[in-house]
Amino acid sequence: MRLNIAVIPKNGIGPEITTQSIKVLKAIALEFDHQFLIKIADLNSKNSSSNEVIDLCKSSDAILASNDSFLQSNTLSAQLNVYASSTIVKSYQSLAVNSPLKKEVISGTNILFFNELNLSNQLSEKHASKNNNYAFDSNENTRQEIELVAKKAFKAAQTRGKRVTLINKSSTSQVSALWSEVAGNLSLQYPEIEFNITNLENAVTQLLLTPNLFDVVLTERIISNVLIQQSSVLTGSTSLQSTSYIGHKQSLFFPTIHNHLDDTDYKNPNPLASILSAAMLLEHFGLYSESEMIKTAVNRSLELNITTPDLNSTYNNITTNKVGDFIADFIMNPHDSNANFKNIHLGQSTII
């Protein structure tokens, strides 16, 4: 497959972590015989402008970013007509010790959250009185907006555990009622998918007690944000979640959270969420084997403690670059990477 991929490294640690994702994508291209034409936006050049970055993104098939700050501070999301967001929350056995929950509770957790992403909801009517004794926010969704994101959720479930759960805010909310109606009607077109509706209070409880009940979660944006933040206890780290903004032509992929995003002095930032964002990008284009190879490599890096200091209590000499080297090495030599373990520590990866 031939893909044009724009990369927005932003500032701070952005260039360092996206470099590892590019390294991994190049390894995938070589191993699976693809053509990935990768262009990096020059955000630091005096001659570079926001319009040039937007033009680069609009001429690409997909965008890989270090975070969503550029998307939020510019008109990129609007110009690309993004309409949905998805975030993956997955548990890793080697990180289970970092979770406050029991290992047997979080084991096997793999949840894909979908929510609508539209300007109309962000720009809904808001009002506060001058003395701050009264405030008002409206929440709006159209049938078309809900149907677009619901279709993505049901189609994603076809390649996963074949379960979709709609989480509503309130049984008395007219917006929630519309979500239930639209998603319920759409579920009839996917008879192989188990469809359930639950309220937010129950979902919050079940997410902590029996997270494996969830496969694909469909909900409003404000609810999704709350649930995704809470779900960080299931993964043992916030630095492994990746998110996509889905558009009609181009989609954007980036780490959900990074605690040191704009810290230029932070040494050896964790690149795994950025690398997993690249896996999401490939899956978006139906390259499931390629995406799975990246996920397997990430899991192996965690098992072998080839991770940056934030996740590593065994070795203190693993750099951001070494993590990227190992994952690229694993993709091209999945049966040899154990033998190369010592070389990776010495910075002598077979990938140049």
Side-chain angles (χ1 to χ4, degrees), residues 220-327:
E220 301 170 46
R221 185 180 187 184
I222 189 170
I223 299 176
S224 183
N225 289 341
V226 171
L227 294 175
I228 290 169
Q229 289 182 18
Q230 178 175 313
S231 298
S232 63
V233 300
L234 303 174
T235 63
S237 172
T238 59
S239 57
L240 291 169
Q241 295 178 6
S242 51
T243 293
S244 71
Y245 284 177
I246 304 166
H248 293 285
K249 291 185 177 180
Q250 292 90 4
S251 295
L252 309 98
F253 305 85
F254 53 90
T256 308
I257 301 171
H258 208 298
N259 296 329
H260 302 277
L261 206 51
D262 297 316
D263 187 352
T264 55
D265 296 323
Y266 185 70
K267 303 300 182 184
N268 296 318
N270 190 333
L272 293 183
S274 181
I275 291 171
L276 289 169
S277 299
M280 282 189 83
L281 185 155
L282 297 177
E283 194 166 311
H284 178 76
F285 289 98
L287 302 179
Y288 298 108
S289 296
E290 292 85 339
S291 176
E292 196 59 37
M293 176 63 81
I294 294 177
K295 296 174 188 176
T296 301
V298 167
N299 189 56
R300 198 72 182 122
S301 74
L302 293 170
E303 291 175 344
L304 296 176
N305 282 308
I306 306 180
T307 58
T308 45
D310 59 313
L311 296 179
N312 200 330
S313 59
T314 304
Y315 304 102
N316 60 8
N317 63 333
I318 306 298
T319 64
T320 303
N321 193 55
K322 286 181 181 179
V323 175
D325 282 346
F326 172 80
I327 292 176

Side-chain angles (χ1 to χ4, degrees), residues 22-290:
I22 293 170
K23 189 183 300 180
V24 169
L25 284 171
K26 288 181 176 179
I28 287 288
L30 286 171
E31 188 66 15
F32 290 86
D33 196 24
H34 296 304
Q35 283 186 296
F36 297 155
L37 305 179
I38 300 172
K39 294 184 179 180
I40 304 172
D42 186 1
L43 301 178
N44 297 317
S45 171
K46 293 181 180 180
N47 298 321
S48 179
S49 68
S50 295
N51 288 336
E52 289 175 334
V53 176
I54 291 172
D55 289 341
L56 171 63
C57 293
K58 291 175 72 173
S59 65
S60 302
D61 297 308
I63 300 100
L64 186 69
S66 59
N67 62 82
D68 69 343
S69 61
F70 181 83
L71 315 178
Q72 299 291 353
S73 60
N74 290 270
T75 59
L76 180 58
S77 294
Q79 293 205 32
L80 295 181
N81 294 316
V82 295
Y83 62 87
S85 175
S86 68
T87 296
I88 294 178
V89 173
K90 185 180 185 303
S91 66
Y92 293 87
Q93 186 174 354
S94 53
L95 296 180
V97 66
N98 297 337
S99 173
L101 304 179
K102 292 182 179 180
K103 183 177 180 180
E104 56 268 27
V105 171
I106 65 174
S107 179
T109 298
N110 189 344
I111 307 172
L112 179 58
F113 290 88
F114 275 98
N115 61 265
E116 95 291 353
L117 192 67
N118 58 74
L119 290 177
S120 65
N121 211 14
Q122 296 179 49
L123 300 177
S124 297
E125 185 179 352
K126 300 178 182 180
H127 174 73
S129 62
K130 292 182 179 180
N131 58 8
N132 287 327
N133 288 329
Y134 169 79
F136 170 79
D137 285 319
S138 68
N139 184 28
E140 301 175 8
N141 280 128
T142 67
R143 183 178 296 273
Q144 183 183 23
E145 289 168 351
I146 298 170
E147 192 169 78
L148 281 172
V149 65
K151 283 182 178 178
K152 296 296 294 187
F154 280 103
K155 288 180 179 179
Q158 288 178 318
T159 63
R160 292 171 51 92
K162 293 182 168 52
R163 300 193 311 278
V164 172
T165 303
L166 172 64
I167 299 177
N168 277 334
K169 182 165 51 181
S170 169
S171 59
T172 60
S173 165
Q174 292 300 310
V175 171
S176 292
L178 184 59
W179 275 82
S180 296
E181 178 191 338
V182 173
N185 290 339
L186 190 62
S187 70
L188 300 177
Q189 300 177 26
Y190 299 87
E192 75 280 17
I193 304 299
E194 178 186 336
F195 177 63
N196 297 293
I197 301 176
T198 188
N199 59 51
L200 177 58
E201 292 78 8
N202 181 60
V204 168
T205 302
Q206 295 304 321
L207 197 61
L208 298 179
L209 296 179
T210 52
N212 281 295
L213 287 177
F214 299 102
D215 175 31
V216 175
V217 169
L218 175 64
T219 188
E220 301 170 46
R221 185 180 187 184
I222 189 170
I223 299 176
S224 183
N225 289 341
V226 171
L227 294 175
I228 290 169
Q229 289 182 18
Q230 178 175 313
S231 298
S232 63
V233 300
L234 303 174
T235 63
S237 172
T238 59
S239 57
L240 291 169
Q241 295 178 6
S242 51
T243 293
S244 71
Y245 284 177
I246 304 166
H248 293 285
K249 291 185 177 180
Q250 292 90 4
S251 295
L252 309 98
F253 305 85
F254 53 90
T256 308
I257 301 171
H258 208 298
N259 296 329
H260 302 277
L261 206 51
D262 297 316
D263 187 352
T264 55
D265 296 323
Y266 185 70
K267 303 300 182 184
N268 296 318
N270 190 333
L272 293 183
S274 181
I275 291 171
L276 289 169
S277 299
M280 282 189 83
L281 185 155
L282 297 177
E283 194 166 311
H284 178 76
F285 289 98
L287 302 179
Y288 298 108
S289 296
E290 292 85 339

